[in-house]
Amino acid sequence: MKHEKVFVLDLGRLAKVITRGKLAADLVKVIIETEVLIKDTKDEDFHPPIQLSHPKYWKLKKLTAEQARVLQFQYSGLTDKHLRKSIKEFEKTFNREVLN
């Protein structure tokens, strides 16, 4: 299951939080993963906050997947409140679908 939430940040930047859930190996829990993409006013499409031209790009490549996600989140301009809101909406939607 996948949920996308777009936030409008300062100076017109858009940040999209993509939340995915997958069933854990024990088939009881759901593992939630998030991805952050940004779109500045001059951009046509959403893209990761840290790209090839970003000074932290090579550091990003040396990190684990989880550490890379955290670094991308930090450079997106989103706050923890934005992330919590997106995850809460995902859980609400997921619970509704499971109950039906």
Side-chain angles (χ1 to χ4, degrees):
M1 169 172 218
K2 179 173 142 180
H3 175 72
E4 294 184 4
K5 175 81 174 166
V6 177
F7 296 97
V8 179
L9 305 177
D10 296 337
L11 304 173
R13 174 184 262 188
L14 299 177
K16 181 188 292 189
V17 178
I18 302 169
T19 310
R20 290 183 183 88
K22 61 181 180 179
L23 213 49
D26 62 4
L27 302 177
V28 177
K29 297 178 185 175
V30 174
I31 298 170
I32 296 175
E33 293 180 348
T34 58
E35 178 184 0
V36 177
L37 301 173
I38 61 168
K39 180 180 174 188
D40 290 311
T41 52
K42 63 182 177 6
D43 296 334
E44 292 183 23
D45 298 315
F46 283 93
H47 58 83
I50 300 175
Q51 298 186 82
L52 186 59
S53 61
H54 195 282
K56 297 285 185 182
Y57 179 78
W58 297 109
K59 178 181 180 181
L60 180 74
K61 291 299 172 187
K62 295 177 184 175
L63 300 174
T64 66
E66 182 60 32
Q67 291 170 328
R69 261 195 297 279
V70 170
L71 191 62
Q72 292 278 18
F73 175 75
Q74 290 172 344
Y75 280 88
S76 69
L78 288 169
T79 63
D80 289 338
K81 185 177 179 179
H82 290 121
L83 186 60
R84 284 193 306 270
K85 183 175 183 177
S86 181
I87 291 173
K88 191 174 187 177
E89 284 183 14
F90 170 80
E91 288 173 340
K92 186 186 257 185
T93 304
F94 180 75
N95 286 340
R96 234 184 279 137
E97 286 189 13
V98 169
L99 294 174
N100 290 334

